[in-house]
Amino acid sequence: MTVEPATPASEKVYPVPERLLAGGNVPKPWVSSFDEYKAKWEESVQNPTKFFGNLARELLSWSKPFETVTNGSFEQGDIAWFLEGELNVAFNCVDRHALANPDKIAIIHEGDEPENVRKITYRELLQQVSRVANVLKSLDVRKGDNVAIYMPMVPEAVFAMLACARIGAVHSVVFAGFSSDSLRDRINDAGARVVLTADEGRRGGKNIATKRIVDKALETAPTVEHVLVLRRTGSDVPFTAGRDLWWHDEMAKARPYCPPTSMNAEDPLFLLYTSGSTGTPKGVVHTTGGYLLGAAATVKYVFDYHEGDIHACMADVGWITGHTYIVYGPLALGATTVLFESTPTYPDPARFWNLVEKHKVTQFYTAPTAIRALRRLGDKWVQQADLSSLRVIGSVGEPINPEAWEWYNEQVGKGQCAVVDTYWQTETGSIIVTPLPGATATKPGSATFPFFGIQPVILDPVTGQELEGNDVTGVLAIKQPWPSMARSVYNNHYRYLDTYLKPYKGHYFTGDGATRDKDGYIWIRGRVDDVINVSGHRLSTAEIESALILHHSVVEAAVVGGNDELTGQCIHAYVTLKPNIDDAKDLDKELVLQVRKVIGPFAAPKKIYIVNDLPKTRSGKIMRRILRKIVNGEQDSLGDISTLADSSVVDHLIKCVHKV
Ligand code: 6R9
């Protein structure tokens, strides 16, 4: 494992925009100086019991108070927070706001067509969530059962998640861009008995065959008894009598109130599958109390949420960012959250900015890949909209390059907004390294400083020794547990220990490399394991390789990440073929299709190289470092290749990739 040496890309420092502290028509930030942040952070790590005990009482409603704030350790892997406490997540995200403020808008759904806007009040949300909860109960879903959700970005997807939470069922949302094979594997791993889906999805003016994908997946998913189908587009879709039920039929029968089930703070809230270093995705387990606290606390402090704000996170609910920053965090605070069904460029590249103007969005959150794509399309699109409602603009999913950061700050934030480059992971549950709007001077490209409760350390990748002080580069680890961290991998706690807690004893290992610069700012340098990040989507090289090998012509495959101006990284695949495959014509297209089919369209390789051999050590290990350097044009600095079994393969590979 290597981490490239430190070369922070920008030395510019941007102070907190004056507008945020001037006390004009914007609210005073919750934390309004760096000293205040530091004092709070110190307290949070030195006395987590007091800090998080108070915060959990302030931000959440408990049906039974907790006595112990935190217990367990990284050594034992038995982390638990708020142990005796009981609460219900749906009660926290819906009921308490519906009771106090029934007419407040909870969800603004901006449909695929910009004119299709649907607003849902907290009163209505409570009724809808209750109804779905009662439908689930009628299908015999009980506390602790796993429910799969494979839905487009419509309010019903949120109702479904909250309905599970209401009755103590554990949802597993599968991103609707995943293929039927991926969906099937996730359903089977979780043993889900019920799947919630829609006839079709709609995105960027196109229909997506959601139900057909589900049907295909269910051919080999024996645990599924029922499929609840939402009518989204009204197209004709196959229907399996007995198994499939129409959403509207069942909802019409269901009573619009369902009492929330009191859950222990450590009961699981959801599973979310994510890619790791090996071929099979892991079902990351998040629990009720700690996760919700992390979600709520970061919306409050990182997005500086104040009553009346309109919070717009552009992610999909199929990813952790959607879970935490569309659904659970904003709704826990009683906010108005925007659910966006479309794409940044449909019908034109002004879509995001028109959305901000139309709904008077105050917090806007997207990924660097979208920022880069929109920047490339020119400033006229962003300049035509009134963006003056914005206060905080965020970035997540991958490192943001300084050029994109500067553009976001100038063109979108007009130099008047806090830009928060937020670093976190599916496993961390909520943001862990980030600026705070009123407190942190930012450097473009740096996620800056730890959030409350997070003690990041930089370790020597080989010895595991902590690299103290500033100006150090290594792997990023966390020294003590925090409330919203994942507690396990579903049905595979050993894998949880192995992946996160064993690599560096006494620490949580993030899998990312990082630098702490001379001023103590943290710069995330990307994954140090076999995970690649394409447009903020996390993909396992092993998973793509397994998909390629399923093709009858392929013997071996090796996948590496190439640098890509737009998507951050992109997928390059080297494959060797079986002997006697004469007709390799169009094989690359077939292989791309193969990956789309097995994983999903977003995992499609950008380049496929058909090669005679792969660079292997004498023990047969593929040296990916060499493959990576070749695709990135660094063939002149391949480093030590003396351990290769046959070093002549390198010239052949360079010829294949660079056609020289
Ligand atoms: C929330 C999310 C996690 C991986 C993570 C890292 C990368 C996320 C980042 C970032 C640099 C940031 N990542 N945010 N890298 N700067 N602000 O994206 O979760 O899909 O699990 O991906 O994404 O490599 O390890 P997830």
Side-chain angles (χ1 to χ4, degrees), residues 74 77 79 496-508:
F74 286 156
I79 292 127
Y496 170 81
L497 300 177
D498 237 27
T499 313
Y500 308 110
L501 303 184
K502 281 196 186 150
Y504 299 100
K505 203 174 157 37
H507 294 89
Y508 166 85

Side-chain angles (χ1 to χ4, degrees), residues 274 320-321 395-400 421-427 447 510 512 524 526-527 533 536 538:
T274 191
I320 190 68
T321 305
S395 165
V396 61
E398 49 178 321
I400 180 164
D421 173 3
T422 61
Y423 167 77
W424 59 296
Q425 312 175 300
T426 304
E427 297 86 340
T510 61
D512 284 298
I524 307 297
R527 304 288 306 194
N533 191 322
R538 201 167 138 180

